[in-house]
Structures are given as structure tokens and as C-alpha cells.
Amino acid sequence: MSPPAVELRDLRVELGGASILAGVDLTVAVGEWVTVIGPNGAGKSTLLRAVGGLLAPAGAVNLFGTPINSFRRRDRARVVATVAQSPVVPAGMSVFDYVLLGRTPYIPALGRESAADLVAVREVVDRLDLGAFAHRELATLSGGERQRVFLARALAQGATLLLLDEPTSALDIGHQQEVLELVDQLRRAHRLTVLATMHDLSVAGEYADRMVLLADGRVVATGPPQEVLTEELLGTHYRAHVRVIPGEHGPLVVPVRPG
Ligand code: ADP
Ligand code: MG
């Protein structure tokens, strides 16, 4: 059997003297979509950063069976790509050049991109329907268009593990669906593994094979959406009054005013 895409054992992160993740165990199979939920400050972004190699946590982080520390930076970038919660948009950069940044791990130091890099970028730009924007300045795009560009950069990187930190929080419901459907299509077509965080719980449940509920830096529940999106768990860990209604593709979580 092939090793899982992600394997975390007793992952611990301390930042500024505070314990942010306190012993997280998590396995994500190749091709699986796992979504991490949890209240603000639970440690979701920190977890993704640790998996992406952007932090030096205690405990084990293995990607496709290899400890993350034994990848060279360049090799790691060919395996795992991150779309951050609010990526910095370089001033004056065109969409095409931004997506081309995804090819950095393939371009030799002090070298230029090759014809193959340009072909790879054009392919991704076409696949994500960004052709009309390719020469526009990234900063002038709408939120939904920009999110597609961030995804394009991650895909151009050629990584098979995508870490998506709240990829749709800035989008209206139409663009949310569009982006998530696209991620799911790409996942199926290219056997990508997706580890995401999301705030909209109903939407999170519709797209995830499995969910992880994080609270105070610990995993408090994990399983298929029906097992994690329960009135009891959400009441306890979000202090939220909700009703959970069975839906076509997973439970639908509706906030209900208390009393
Ligand atoms: P989430 O994404 O679930 O909202 P984060 O992972 O961003 O949570 O943050 C988890 C906790 O870690 C928060 O309490 C946050 O304030 C804290 N934190 C994040 N980065 C740092 C840092 N560099 N130094 C100190 N605390 C941090
Ligand atoms: Mg976050």
C-alpha cells in the first residue's frame, strides 16, 4: 500500500511561548479531501503551515512517507503547494507572471524559465479559464478571479498535495461553489490530495470526505461530516446554537438564535 499523503504524529507547535497545537495526530490518504474546521484561533492555519513546511514543529510530519525535514526546499515545493488565507499580491504583477512563480522550484538559481515552464503555465491558465485575464494586473481582479489565480499558481507548481486555507471565505456563494467544484474536478482528474480549512460548515461538509474539528490546538472530533457536524459538538466547541439538517451531500448547519 502506498503511504498516506499526510501523516502527523503528536504534532506540537509553540509560538511566542504559547502552545498553539498540542499533540495533533492526523492521516490523509492519497486522493482524499480532508477539511479542518474549528473556531477562530483554534490553530487551523498553524496546522496547515506546519504541513506545508513553513514552521518547525515538534513531532512527526511525513508527506508521502517521507519526513518533511528530509525534503530539500525545492523538492518539497514539487510535492506540496499552499494557498494561504490571504496571499500577498505583489504590486504591478500580471496574472501570467504570478502563475509563473509556481514554476520557481523548476527554474535553476540565476536561470530563466524554460519553454516547458511557459507551456505548463499556459496550460494551467487555460484549464482555470484565466486566459482573458492573463495580462491583467492581478490587483485589478475580483475576489473570485483572484482566488482562481492563487489556485493556478499552486497547480503550476505541479504539487499533488494542496493545502487550502479558507479558499472561499472572501467569495459570494456562487463563486464559492465554482471554486470548490473546480478543486474537486482537478482532484479527481489528477488524483490530488486536498487538506483545507473552511468556515462555512455546510459547504465544508459537502466537499470533504472527512472532517477534523480542532479546538484549542487539539483534535476533538474526526470522521465523515455526519459524525463531526453535530449539534452537540458544534454547541460545545463553537458555543453556537445550530440546527443540523440532513442534506443531499452532507449535513446542513443552520445557525439558530438562542431562546
Ligand atoms: P485559526 O486559523 O484556527 O483561526 P491560527 O492557527 O491562525 O488559528 O492561530 C492559532 C493561535 O495561534 C491564535 O491564538 C493565534 O493568535 C496564535 N498565533 C498565531 N501565530 C502566532 C505567532 N506568530 N505568535 C504567537 N501566537 C500566534
Ligand atoms: Mg486561520
Side-chain angles (χ1 to χ4, degrees), residues 23-192:
V24 170
D25 294 302
L26 173 67
T27 303
V28 184
V30 172
E32 197 178 21
W33 182 326
V34 172
T35 297
V36 181
I37 60 167
N40 292 328
K44 303 179 297 294
S45 295
T46 305
L47 177 64
L48 256 54
R49 287 166 58 77
V51 175
L54 305 176
L55 291 172
V61 179
N62 296 328
L63 302 183
F64 302 96
T66 303
I68 193 160
N69 298 332
S70 45
F71 286 101
R72 285 180 310 169
R73 223 184 132 86
R74 206 168 250 277
D75 295 335
R76 188 182 73 211
R78 297 176 191 202
V79 169
V80 56
T82 302
V83 179
Q85 198 165 338
S86 357
V88 179
V89 177
M93 187 174 266
S94 75
V95 167
F96 190 90
D97 286 342
Y98 183 82
V99 177
L100 184 59
L101 288 177
R103 299 302 296 174
T104 308
Y106 302 89
I107 300 172
L110 305 177
R112 278 191 67 80
E113 67 276 4
S114 67
D117 292 318
L118 295 175
V119 168
V121 169
R122 274 191 209 106
E123 254 176 37
V124 173
V125 162
D126 286 345
R127 204 185 324 146
L128 269 60
D129 240 346
L130 290 166
F133 306 117
H135 300 292
R136 281 261 299 275
E137 195 181 319
L138 179 52
T140 67
L141 267 55
S142 76
E145 293 157 358
R146 225 184 272 188
Q147 203 59 37
R148 290 216 309 272
V149 176
F150 297 146
L151 262 180
R153 175 185 168 167
L155 293 168
Q157 208 172 306
T160 55
L161 171 59
L162 290 184
L163 307 178
L164 308 178
D165 197 355
E166 294 188 25
T168 55
S169 290
L171 308 182
D172 64 54
I173 52 173
H175 287 99
Q176 267 188 18
Q177 273 179 348
E178 185 187 295
V179 166
L180 295 172
E181 286 295 327
L182 175 67
V183 172
D184 200 44
Q185 278 166 23
L186 295 166
R187 170 174 77 118
R188 290 168 196 281
H190 303 279
R191 200 165 163 70
L192 305 178

